[in-house]
Amino acid sequence: MRRSGLVPAFGEDRTPYAADPWDPDLPASRTGNWQALRRWLDTEWSMLDLVADAPLPPDTQPASVMEVVERGRGELRALIAWAGKRAPRKAS
């Protein structure tokens, strides 16, 4: 999640992580969250999902919340595209 904000802001993330979660050489136990994120982004997500998954206060405008979620999903998709263009850092 952190990278999805740093990449659009700075063009890269120079944080020295132990490994990149998209590294195909990592064991499945270390890439599960990355794979789950990709599956979630590949799935249609609607206003119904929003109101079913998150109890919203009565005065909340679901359409406004949906806009925020969609912007976040866009940043995460951009991170996945960015990751696909670079060699993963190997686990240390």
Side-chain angles (χ1 to χ4, degrees):
M1 298 302 281
R2 180 175 184 274
R3 289 185 198 198
S4 70
L6 291 173
V7 170
F10 301 108
E12 63 182 328
D13 177 5
R14 294 184 184 183
T15 306
Y17 299 102
D20 289 322
W22 55 86
D23 183 347
D25 295 331
L26 287 177
S29 62
R30 294 198 52 200
T31 62
N33 290 337
W34 181 256
Q35 297 307 323
L37 173 64
R38 293 187 65 151
R39 282 190 303 275
W40 180 64
L41 293 173
D42 287 342
T43 303
E44 287 287 326
W45 209 76
S46 70
M47 187 80 68
L48 269 176
D49 297 304
L50 174 67
V51 297
D53 289 348
L56 301 173
D59 61 340
T60 301
Q61 299 295 319
S64 298
V65 176
M66 191 70 181
E67 288 176 20
V68 173
V69 171
E70 284 304 323
R71 280 196 305 269
R73 285 171 57 99
E75 285 186 2
L76 291 167
R77 283 187 189 102
L79 171 65
I80 288 172
W82 173 81
K85 296 176 187 170
R86 50 184 285 124
R89 287 178 275 196
K90 298 299 181 184
S92 53

